[in-house]
Amino acid sequence: EPPLGHDGPFTPQVVVNGSADAVGAAPGEIERLISRTPHAKGPALSLGDGKVSIGGGTAPGGAADVWLVRYARGVVEVPVARGENTGRTLPHANVVHSLQRLGRWNGEATTLPLPTAPGGLSTAVLVQTPDGGPILAAAAN
């Protein structure tokens, strides 16, 4: 649900690489934000065969969190029950159903087991600096 004070039926929130964000930005503004934000400087990351493989590199502060994200790919229309958009139906894309910490990455190449996805859900894995800091690497199936 968009924050109060923003106009229009749909106010997107965009976070780029966990280090820059905008609320209510137009597509041109979002593209500029992406082009100005440094690319993630993290390890190689790949999913497959029931595991996630994380390459070697430098872990800021000595370690990073490895997150398993389960999400429904695509767009769903969601009726809004309260707030400034009460009574409207708004699109929600790639809705996250669960977020689970798989482990830590200390800079050394490692492999972690990847649990099987529940029916119909897609998988993404994020390597993120602790306490919700910048995303260092991301991969999705």
Side-chain angles (χ1 to χ4, degrees):
E1 189 167 56
L4 294 175
H6 289 352
D7 298 323
F10 179 65
T11 306
Q13 177 183 10
V14 178
V15 179
V16 180
N17 285 344
S19 61
D21 64 271
V23 175
E29 294 174 80
I30 293 170
E31 290 170 7
R32 280 190 293 282
L33 183 63
I34 292 170
S35 69
R36 288 194 316 256
T37 303
H39 292 292
K41 295 178 181 169
L45 190 60
S46 64
L47 310 178
D49 298 327
K51 64 186 179 190
V52 56
S53 298
I54 307 169
T58 302
D65 294 316
V66 180
W67 293 99
L68 171 62
V69 181
R70 300 295 191 185
Y71 67 100
R73 190 183 307 256
V75 176
V76 293
E77 298 293 329
V78 178
V80 179
R82 61 177 204 233
E84 71 179 23
N85 287 312
T86 298
R88 296 180 191 251
T89 299
L90 301 178
H92 287 61
N94 300 327
V95 175
V96 172
H97 287 252
S98 69
L99 180 65
Q100 173 189 350
R101 189 168 159 264
L102 283 179
R104 304 271 284 175
W105 174 70
N106 64 9
E108 294 185 23
T110 190
T111 300
L112 298 172
L114 195 59
T116 303
L121 294 181
S122 295
T123 299
V125 174
L126 310 174
V127 177
Q128 183 178 27
T129 54
D131 300 318
I135 304 292
L136 302 174
N141 65 354

